[in-house]
Amino acid sequence: MKAVAFSVKPFEKEYLAKANQKKHDITLISNPLGIDTAVYAEGKNAVIVTEDDDLSAPVAEQLAALGIQFIVTRSAGTGHVDKTALTGHGIKIANIPNYPPGGPLLTNEALQEIADQTIKSLDLWSLNKCVGQACVCANDCNKTTPQKTVQP
């Protein structure tokens, strides 16, 4: 699967690389996702974001036009995500809970777990499977219009 990760902090790169093990083609970008940066998702299947990224209806529309099928948000909540707009465009959403805003710093083990779960979501989607408890859509991937199979 081809993915782009926005708002990546320098310390996160190692964890994502270790979790990915070169399975997916992931571009890491330090800039946040927004109306002006969504173009970096062109040619990708998935977008990986944090709570710092804009997932409003206009951005969702732009991502859908670029062919994005999947969103993984690494955040404590999904309040920054316009779920209605994304799912209306057929984009599936997974949430990998991160530390709460203003919360304690994460341990190395916790950071690796977040990266591992992020990659696991991409793995499952590339097999045309639901991401289970990480699903923010409706947990009914098998009932929705099937997505085209995505190659890792």
Side-chain angles (χ1 to χ4, degrees), residues 65-147:
L66 292 169
I68 296 301
Q69 299 170 286
F70 311 103
I71 301 279
V72 179
T73 180
R74 301 173 302 132
S75 56
T78 57
H80 65 294
V81 178
D82 188 331
K83 293 176 267 206
T84 302
L86 289 167
T87 57
H89 288 291
I91 298 173
K92 297 192 183 300
I93 311 160
N95 177 241
I96 309 304
N98 201 338
Y99 57 93
L105 293 176
L106 292 173
T107 64
N108 289 338
E109 294 81 16
L111 289 166
Q112 190 60 61
E113 180 64 21
I114 292 165
D116 291 346
Q117 291 299 318
T118 298
I119 299 305
K120 183 178 178 183
S121 293
L122 298 179
D123 292 345
L124 288 168
W125 280 328
S126 69
L127 296 171
N128 205 26
K129 294 184 177 182
C130 184
V131 294
Q133 291 182 338
C135 184
V136 177
C137 309
N139 267 326
D140 63 352
C141 294
N142 295 327
K143 298 176 189 172
T144 60
T145 306
Q147 298 285 334

Side-chain angles (χ1 to χ4, degrees), residues 13-96:
K13 293 177 182 181
E14 179 182 339
Y15 298 106
L16 285 168
K18 184 177 177 183
N20 189 35
Q21 299 178 10
K22 299 184 181 182
K23 290 185 278 186
H24 304 284
D25 178 4
I26 302 176
T27 302
L28 305 176
I29 299 176
S30 60
N31 298 26
L33 172 63
I35 201 76
D36 295 330
T37 58
V39 68
Y40 296 126
E42 186 171 9
K44 311 293 187 197
N45 311 97
V47 171
I48 302 167
V49 299
T50 69
E51 64 274 352
D52 297 329
D53 295 297
D54 177 3
L55 286 165
S56 62
V59 175
E61 185 173 339
Q62 192 171 6
L63 292 174
L66 292 169
I68 296 301
Q69 299 170 286
F70 311 103
I71 301 279
V72 179
T73 180
R74 301 173 302 132
S75 56
T78 57
H80 65 294
V81 178
D82 188 331
K83 293 176 267 206
T84 302
L86 289 167
T87 57
H89 288 291
I91 298 173
K92 297 192 183 300
I93 311 160
N95 177 241
I96 309 304

